[in-house]
Structure formats: structure tokens, C-alpha cells
Amino acid sequence: EIETRMCVGQLYGVFNSHVTVRDELLSLGISYLTMVRNPLQRLMSAYNHDRHAFGADNRPDMVKETAGWSLKEWVGYPGISGCQTKMIIGYPCAKNIELTQDHLDLAIDLLKSRFAFVGLVGHWDLSVCLFHRMFGGTIHSNELLNLRPHAGDKNVKRAGKEDLETLDIADDPIDYKLYEFVKELFVSRLKLYGLEVPQILLNPSSIYS
């Protein structure tokens, strides 16, 4: 049933899974679009989604090892941080590499030059609205649905708001800088296309928003 509510990406040449930016597609002039998430929120979501770590070499062992770990402990596991930056520059989400400023600069350059649209997961409805303001078409109700609800594995520890607030920017510094850039880009496009900018984007109340 859920498949009937999802865009069948293959029909349109769209990738709708955990696909990294690929050099061979960039060479063909392919344009990407993506939705970027507050990295601290993303870390908690991955933690609660059965220790989601796409591309990790040893994920089954990692899940067993970290089943009882706190969120704060888990984000320090090799490869867990920096997911969004890594995927933009062509690495799997949980590839264990040490990200540098050069990696961040490359990711930002690609967002500027090769991404036709960049939205914010935390402002999903507004991102959908901006997309249609930029490219036309009518908003369909399916675009506003949560197509990936997940209860999580009962055999692993889960995190809530209190656990989220144990994290800080230092737990995912490169991805957080990427997120700050995307927020600025998003706000500039909202203004350019005549959409109201939420105050929380202009004056964030916390590092988790």
C-alpha cells in the first residue's frame, strides 16, 4: 500500500534511496535535490532507527555492541558523524573517514553548483512550498505525508528529548557547519521567491532547531 503513495523514482530517473553524489552522474550534468536535517536531530533519529548507519562496514556488530549505549556514547562510534557531508561528496553515510574543512568546502561547492534544490527536513511543508514556487506545479497531499514512520527495535535502547540535549555541535561539527550554510541558503531563497521566513530560522532558539 505504501508503494502506491510513493513516487516511483525509476520512472523519472530520480533516486529515492540512500544514494551518494556520484562522479559519473555529475559528469553527465545531472542535477540533484536534497533535504538536509539538523545533524543533532539526525543523529537521534539514526540512533532510534535501530542504530541506522548506511554504508558501515560492520553494522551488525556495531548494533550488538552499542545496543545499551546512550545516544551521547553512540555518536562517538567511528563513522557515525558527518553523514550528510559525506553523502554529498560521494561517501556512504557511515564511512569511517576523518572529515576536514576541505571536505566541507567541497560539499558546499556542490550544493551551490550541482543541486537544483535544497530543503530542510525540519521545515518540510515550507520546503515543499518553496520547491513548487521555484519549479511550478501543484502541491499534492502525498508530498506532506510521513512515508517512513518507524517504531524502532525493542531490543536496543532508545533516546528522547533529554538524550538529545546531551549532544552539542562538537558531536558533529562538520555536518553542523553544512546545516548552517543550508539554512542561510534556504532563507535567501524564501525571500527571493516571496515566502515568509519563520522566526525560528532567523533567530534559532537552540542548537537543536
Side-chain angles (χ1 to χ4, degrees):
E1 178 185 352
I2 195 169
E3 291 180 357
T4 66
R5 295 185 291 152
M6 293 181 66
C7 171
V8 183
Q10 291 81 353
L11 295 178
Y12 302 97
V14 174
F15 297 101
N16 59 358
S17 186
H18 300 288
V19 177
T20 63
V21 173
R22 299 174 179 174
D23 289 340
E24 63 268 27
L25 295 181
L26 290 175
S27 68
L28 295 174
I30 297 294
S31 292
Y32 284 82
L33 63 85
T34 191
M35 300 286 282
V36 172
R37 190 171 193 174
N38 181 307
L40 306 183
Q41 293 276 359
R42 192 208 67 80
L43 285 167
M44 185 173 77
S45 176
Y47 176 86
N48 286 338
H49 190 66
D50 311 335
R51 309 296 189 265
H52 180 74
F54 171 74
D57 295 331
N58 59 341
R59 184 174 178 273
D61 292 338
M62 179 272 288
V63 173
K64 291 178 182 178
E65 181 182 348
T66 66
W69 287 20
S70 69
L71 172 62
K72 183 73 172 180
E73 292 171 318
W74 184 74
V75 301
Y77 194 92
I80 296 301
S81 66
C83 170
Q84 296 173 109
T85 301
K86 283 183 278 188
M87 293 195 73
I88 291 170
I89 62 176
Y91 293 102
C93 173
K95 181 71 173 178
N96 185 21
I97 62 170
E98 184 177 350
L99 290 174
T100 66
Q101 183 66 41
D102 288 342
H103 290 122
L104 175 63
D105 291 342
L106 175 59
I108 289 175
D109 181 65
L110 286 169
L111 287 176
K112 290 178 178 178
S113 62
R114 303 308 299 268
F115 280 71
F117 179 81
V118 184
L120 292 173
V121 171
H123 296 270
W124 188 276
D125 291 3
L126 186 56
S127 296
V128 172
C129 183
L130 176 61
F131 178 87
H132 285 285
R133 185 66 64 92
M134 291 174 65
F135 300 105
T138 302
I139 295 176
H140 192 283
S141 60
N142 286 1
E143 296 174 85
L144 308 178
L145 292 175
N146 178 5
L147 296 176
R148 295 292 299 276
H150 183 67
D153 187 342
K154 296 179 181 179
N155 297 315
V156 297
K157 187 175 181 180
R158 290 173 59 78
K161 181 181 179 182
E162 298 81 6
D163 303 284
L164 174 65
E165 291 175 350
T166 67
L167 302 183
D168 55 41
I169 294 173
D171 288 305
D172 205 347
I174 297 295
D175 256 16
Y176 207 92
K177 290 178 181 178
L178 181 82
Y179 175 61
E180 289 288 297
F181 166 77
V182 170
K183 283 199 298 181
E184 292 178 5
L185 178 65
F186 188 71
V187 167
S188 69
R189 288 178 174 171
L190 289 176
K191 294 177 178 178
L192 179 63
Y193 286 91
L195 295 172
E196 184 175 353
V197 180
Q199 280 300 309
I200 196 169
L201 284 175
L202 298 174
N203 300 292
S205 56
S206 76
I207 61 173
Y208 310 104
S209 58

